[in-house]
Structure formats: structure tokens, C-alpha cells
Amino acid sequence: MWKLLLKQDLTAEEKQAIIDRTTEYYGKHLNPGFLKYKKSSDSKAIEWSGTGATMVDIHGRRFIDCLGGYGVYVLGHRAPEVIAAVEKVYRRIGMYSQELLSPFQAELAHQLAKLSPGDMKYTYYHSGGAESNDAAFKIARLATGRHKHITMSNSFHGKTMGALSATNRESIRKPFEPLVPGFIEVQWDDLEALEAAMSDEIASVILEPVQGEGGINLPSDGYLKGVRELCDRHGALMHLDEVQTGFGRTGRWFGAQHWGVEADMMTLGKALGGGIYPISAVHGNERAWHRLEENPWWVTNTFGGSAPACACALAAIEVMQRDGVVEQAAAKGELFVRLLREAVEPHKHLIAGVRGIGLLIGVEFIRQEDAVAVAKNLFSKDVLTAHTINNPAVIRIEPPLIISEDEIRQVVARFTACLEECD
Ligand code: PMP
């Protein structure tokens, strides 16, 4: 039966068989909750293919993807150059021997060092953002000999025990407490609060340059620079979580570049694998890395930085540079935000604000129920979106950076129709 999933042209009966088995097995073997609690979409829609900024379900229904896998599809679905690279790798090598040196790991680390701001130049690879954040906490503890971390209100850093300890969202933390000790929450975007919490016990301060799951919250001018200064004054490492904001999403390679700030460590994930292969990374400078030579295996893992993963990232970087994808994200983001602001103007009683940077955009509703209703209605009009994890009143608009202007205008037209129907 599973071979049907590889078949190109399915008959109506075969489609129905796949739908029936998928929904049955989600309930029996994954979690029936996935079928019950989908907020934005029809819980029985089955993904089948994707191309560019379009996601297609098993019936051939085409969605404009404004969710982008929560930021994974910077180059859209199945970027041809990324697929070509990984196919070539697979004809020669599978994953990683764990013993010989990997030329792919070396080449990607070199490229990241060239792209990243400041003096960051070392990299360790993992498969997910949370894992890389966990590694960064360990690196900070090693480098400073301290064991406390400051984290921001409304932050999201992942769901492993370490990353969750830095994530300040009550509903996803509470069932798992006590979490890892030593994580101190301070108010986001408040330098006085940070200064008050700083001490010579702090190993690192972790923050997103723009809070993604917190509701697409931009920092005030001067905030990130202020964090940098406080870290320097107290000997703590500045750790920027660029898992969602990195790799072009905001119209710069890394989000913090908008504010001219250079961190000691930066974590990357999501888009890094070109939308084809999971790969994440912790990237840092000498200050962060200096103890790791003693035992380079302190923060390694089995799958991170396999040949196919690194090849995808390398191909993605090349295409993004060749096509000016990052610059395009800045221009398209400006257009998208402008059109959305015009669209919400007659519906001010529903909307608290439209904000964004590059193609990381949030539309905040006054009432959470309206955000949920509009996201669902957008789905019925063939646009994929979802609310942000920590702030369900905000619908995120996070399409592939290669989305066309025509597609942007279509999304805004359908969004406008949803607002009219919400009135
Ligand atoms: N950090 C940030 C800023 C994120 O947005 C996310 C995922 N939404 C993560 C970390 C966790 O990444 P992953 O799901 O790959 O563990």
C-alpha cells in the first residue's frame, strides 16, 4: 500500500484509499488530537505535492502557501537546484561516516562564516532549531563557566527540555515543569528589565531579533544594540536565535543585520536546508568556542550536517546569491505590508495592526476568534496561513521568498474578501 504514495497519477479509488488510511492512522497511531484541533485548515486535507509558492493537496487543489512550513520554504517547494544537488550527492554517499572528515560540512561552515556578520566563524550542525539552541546553552556554559541564561517574555526557542526552558509560553511549558533550572525570564524589548536581571552569573542572553511565534514583534531601535552592550559589560554571550528570522526571511541574510548587531552565537534552522532536507546550526565566535577544542564531541549528534543536508544548504545559498532572493524578500515584504495595510483600513474595528519585516508579516486581530475565523476562511479560499504559536490573535504571513507579485496581490484580494465576510 505505501508504494501508492510514490505513484504519479492516482485513480479516484486510490485517492480515497489514501485519505481513509491517513485519517484512520492519524487517529490510531499518531494522535487523534491532530484531527480534532486544527485551527486554520480542514483536518482531512492531505498534502500531495508542491512547487514554487504553491502547495497542492491530493485532489489537485492548489493553495498559495503563506505559511511556508513555518519559515522553511524560503526557496519555495522543491527548488530545482537544491534537488539537483542532493540527487548527485545520493548517487555517491548516504549520510555521514562519523569518522572521516566531511568536505560538505567544511564547505558549508566556510560559507556561513563568510555570510554571517562580525567575527562568528565556527559551526556545529544539528537537525532542528531546538537542538541547536540546546547546544548553544551548553557552549555558553562551557565558555563562561556560568550556568544561568536570560530569556525574553513571549519567546519561542523550541520544545526540547533545554529550548523549552527558554521558551516563555505558559501553555506549552506548564505540563513539563520543573524544567531546566537557571533560565530567567525578563520583559522583551525592555533594556532596564534586562539590566536589572544581569549579573556575573549569566552565561548567555538568548533572544530572537524579531519575535516570530510571539506575534511578529519587532524590537525598538537601539534595543538589540543595548542587549549587546549589557552582555559585554557583564561578560555574557549574546545568543541570537535566527532559526526563523535567518536565511533571508526578513530581507537581510540575518535579522539582526537590520540593527547592525553582531552576536557571539547565532542559531539557524528551518530554511537552511533549502526546503528539502532538515539541517540546523549553531554558529559562533572564538569567545563562544574556545573551550570546545578540549572535546569537540561535547555538542555533536548523529544526523546533523550529513552530506545531503549540507549540499542542500550550499545549493540554497548559491541560488539565493545568484537570484538576489534576499533583496527580493525586502521589496516584496514592503509591497505585501503596504497592500495589507490598505486592505485592513476599512476594517479597523477588527484589526489591531499589520507589521512585518521582509516576508515575516503578522496581522494582529483585536479578537482571537476573528483571527481563527479569517485563517480558516483563507484556507477555504485556497491560501495557507496559521496563527503564531504564542499569540493566536496574530495571523502569520510567511510565504516563500520567491512568491510572485501576482500571487501577493491574489492573497491580499482573498484576505480582503475574508475581512468583508467577517464584518
Ligand atoms: N527558534 C525559533 C525562533 C523558532 O521559531 C523555532 C520553531 N518555530 C524554533 C527555534 C524551534 O525549531 P525546531 O522546531 O526546528 O526545533
Side-chain angles (χ1 to χ4, degrees):
M1 168 71 190
W2 79 270
K3 293 241 165 81
L4 260 192
L5 305 183
L6 303 179
K7 208 178 150 202
Q8 287 300 333
D9 297 307
L10 296 169
T11 64
E13 292 74 40
E14 287 168 339
K15 283 180 193 167
Q16 198 53 51
I18 291 172
I19 295 166
D20 291 346
R21 282 170 75 97
T22 303
T23 46
E24 182 191 341
Y25 295 165
Y26 255 74
K28 273 192 187 158
H29 305 303
L30 286 165
N31 185 332
F34 286 126
L35 301 172
K36 263 194 255 163
Y37 302 126
K38 282 263 175 217
K39 284 210 177 83
S40 311
S41 60
D42 166 6
S43 64
K44 297 213 166 60
I46 302 230
E47 65 179 20
W48 196 249
S49 65
T51 181
T54 304
M55 179 83 229
V56 187
D57 82 356
I58 195 164
H59 295 298
R61 182 174 164 194
R62 299 169 72 79
F63 296 88
I64 302 180
D65 186 356
C66 279
L67 187 52
Y70 288 3
V72 167
Y73 294 115
V74 155
L75 284 176
H77 295 261
R78 295 186 307 111
E81 299 85 346
V82 180
I83 292 184
V86 79
E87 276 175 355
K88 279 196 186 136
V89 170
Y90 273 136
R91 278 188 223 123
R92 204 182 74 215
I93 188 166
M95 303 256 322
Y96 176 43
S97 68
Q98 311 290 341
E99 190 57 30
L100 279 64
L101 298 182
S102 161
F104 287 99
Q105 288 199 11
E107 192 58 42
L108 179 58
H110 174 64
Q111 292 302 329
L112 289 174
K114 281 207 306 195
L115 280 177
S116 67
D119 58 358
M120 288 183 282
K121 60 174 180 170
Y122 295 111
T123 300
Y124 275 112
Y125 304 105
H126 307 90
S127 302
E131 261 183 287
S132 286
N133 280 333
D134 279 7
F137 299 134
K138 290 166 67 181
I139 292 172
R141 289 180 181 207
L142 264 181
T144 60
R146 305 170 179 183
H147 56 273
K148 291 189 177 167
H149 311 271
I150 291 183
T151 83
M152 301 303 155
S153 59
N154 225 355
S155 54
F156 188 93
H157 300 294
K159 294 183 184 167
T160 56
M161 286 299 272
L164 189 59
S165 307
T167 292
N168 292 310
R169 166 78 165 151
E170 185 76 359
S171 64
I172 56 175
R173 287 172 60 101
K174 198 82 194 141
F176 309 105
E177 285 173 358
L179 293 169
V180 181
F183 286 81
I184 301 160
E185 175 183 347
V186 307
Q187 182 64 38
W188 151 259
D189 205 28
D190 181 342
L191 283 175
E192 278 176 24
L194 179 60
E195 186 160 16
M198 268 295 198
S199 72
D200 60 7
E201 292 187 333
I202 305 299
S204 67
V205 174
I206 175 173
L207 75 168
E208 302 150 83
V210 176
Q211 289 193 324
E213 304 303 339
I216 322 293
N217 305 320
L218 276 80
S220 312
D221 278 342
Y223 176 63
L224 295 178
K225 277 227 157 100
V227 175
R228 174 74 271 178
E229 277 161 28
L230 284 170
C231 286
D232 289 342
R233 203 183 312 154
H234 292 274
L237 298 183
M238 182 173 184
H239 168 182
L240 284 170
D241 179 343
E242 295 255 16
V243 168
Q244 189 154 190
T245 49
F247 225 62
R249 171 59 50 194
T250 68
R252 302 292 293 266
W253 273 98
F254 306 102
Q257 288 177 307
H258 289 278
W259 293 276
V261 171
E262 295 163 4
D264 299 298
M265 289 186 296
M266 178 163 84
T267 39
L268 298 171
K270 292 190 187 278
L272 185 58
I276 296 296
Y277 206 99
I279 177 167
S280 66
V282 51
H283 182 64
N285 62 15
E286 191 68 42
R287 234 177 117 211
W289 243 250
H290 70 274
R291 287 279 318 279
L292 285 161
E293 198 178 335
E294 272 170 58
N295 182 349
W297 285 277
W298 263 324
V299 290
T300 59
N301 65 104
T302 305
F303 291 127
S306 64
C310 293
C312 285
L314 286 161
I317 291 170
E318 188 175 87
V319 177
M320 286 167 74
Q321 286 175 328
R322 183 195 71 194
D323 297 349
V325 172
V326 181
E327 296 74 15
Q328 281 182 41
K332 289 175 186 171
E334 269 175 35
L335 172 74
F336 218 147
V337 167
R338 179 167 62 73
L339 294 176
L340 284 168
R341 287 199 174 129
E342 283 167 20
V344 303
E345 199 50 42
H347 305 278
K348 276 284 179 33
H349 53 291
L350 296 174
I351 304 292
V354 176
R355 52 183 178 263
I357 183 160
L359 284 166
L360 185 60
I361 300 170
V363 179
E364 181 161 7
F365 285 71
I366 292 164
R367 291 166 3 124
Q368 194 174 308
E369 310 86 88
D370 291 334
V372 172
V374 167
K376 236 188 160 73
N377 201 1
L378 275 170
F379 182 85
S380 74
K381 298 186 192 325
D382 304 337
V383 176
L384 286 187
T385 54
H387 62 78
T388 54
I389 294 177
N390 291 358
N391 188 351
V394 176
I395 293 184
R396 72 167 86 213
I397 303 200
E398 209 175 337
L401 309 186
I402 48 92
I403 190 170
S404 68
E405 187 176 326
D406 179 53
E407 285 166 324
I408 291 174
R409 289 183 187 278
Q410 284 186 46
V411 170
V412 176
R414 294 180 210 176
F415 176 71
T416 307
C418 289
L419 290 178
E420 278 157 12
E421 286 161 31
C422 207
D423 272 339

